[in-house]
Amino acid sequence: YSFCTLLAPFLHKHTKMTEVQQETVEVTVEAKPTPTEGYLEIDVTNDSIWNYVKVIESPTPLWTGFWWPFAQIGKLFNYDVNVLYETTQNITYYSKKYNKYIDVAKGGEYDGATYAIDIDSFAWVFHDKLCNTGKFSNPETPCTNWEASDVLYEILDAEGRYVRKHTWFWATYSYRSIVN
């Protein structure tokens, strides 16, 4: 016998017993939407962003004003601060958390990891797309700054970037909160 079984007759006299009520709760699970036709669904865990973008030179300096000193530091480390990336094909990412797709069209221009070293990650291109348009692609619904940073977090987590997912989430959320 367990200790509780032995004590049960004594405890019963000093405790108030109540009926157990069971409640049935209906849970509706939305089906995964279909990806947009003509867009390749990306598996962020097994692919590279460099397979889907090409480097193009920015026609104007990107780091000016307040950011100019940081650009000079970047140049010391051979970091080209005036680089843009152009997507070479239509790609889409499915966010499991939001049950929505983010489409990035071929020919779109993105600045990479804004004010950070560009890494092999899909996070920056899909985050930039959400911030630039303010909406998910499929189904087309509004996207908040928090949700955009949360999708970035989701992608970085799937890629195994366990520290960067936290730092970039707060950096992108804070930056967009100030800029917008």
Side-chain angles (χ1 to χ4, degrees):
Y1 292 111
S2 73
F3 182 71
C4 291
T5 306
L6 295 172
L7 288 179
F10 302 106
L11 294 175
H12 179 69
K13 294 177 185 175
H14 302 290
T15 59
K16 183 178 178 185
M17 302 297 284
T18 59
E19 287 185 33
V20 176
Q21 295 179 350
Q22 290 186 339
E23 191 174 309
T24 305
V25 178
E26 258 185 66
V27 177
T28 306
V29 178
E30 292 182 32
K32 180 179 176 182
T34 309
T36 306
E37 189 174 330
Y39 282 77
L40 175 66
E41 187 172 349
I42 298 298
D43 176 9
V44 298
T45 59
N46 296 315
D47 212 340
S48 169
I49 187 64
W50 308 126
N51 295 329
Y52 304 97
V53 296
K54 67 179 179 181
V55 176
I56 59 174
E57 191 69 23
S58 174
T60 59
L62 298 173
W63 294 36
T64 58
F66 172 79
W67 299 105
W68 184 85
F70 297 100
Q72 305 319 303
I73 294 169
K75 288 178 184 178
L76 292 174
F77 296 99
N78 288 329
Y79 176 64
D80 190 351
V81 296
N82 290 320
V83 167
L84 286 177
Y85 299 94
E86 182 180 303
T87 50
T88 58
Q89 59 184 304
N90 295 331
I91 57 175
T92 190
Y93 171 73
Y94 172 70
S95 169
K96 292 176 185 168
K97 181 171 185 178
Y98 294 103
N99 194 34
K100 297 175 183 173
Y101 281 96
I102 302 103
D103 296 342
V104 173
K106 177 181 179 179
E109 292 183 1
Y110 300 92
D111 69 346
T114 309
Y115 306 122
I117 302 296
D118 297 333
I119 61 169
D120 185 8
S121 173
F122 287 96
W124 50 264
V125 72
F126 289 110
H127 176 264
D128 284 0
K129 172 64 180 204
L130 289 172
C131 290
N132 293 342
T133 62
K135 58 187 175 181
F136 289 97
S137 304
N138 183 11
E140 192 172 304
T141 56
C143 177
T144 65
N145 180 25
W146 182 272
E147 291 169 329
S149 293
D150 207 18
V151 167
L152 173 130
Y153 180 97
E154 180 182 347
I155 294 171
L156 290 169
D157 185 50
E159 293 172 341
R161 301 178 189 278
Y162 302 116
V163 174
R164 188 167 276 150
K165 70 181 180 182
H166 297 289
T167 58
W168 278 24
F169 172 89
W170 289 109
T172 57
Y173 178 73
S174 302
Y175 174 76
R176 287 288 176 175
S177 295
I178 294 167
V179 171
N180 293 343

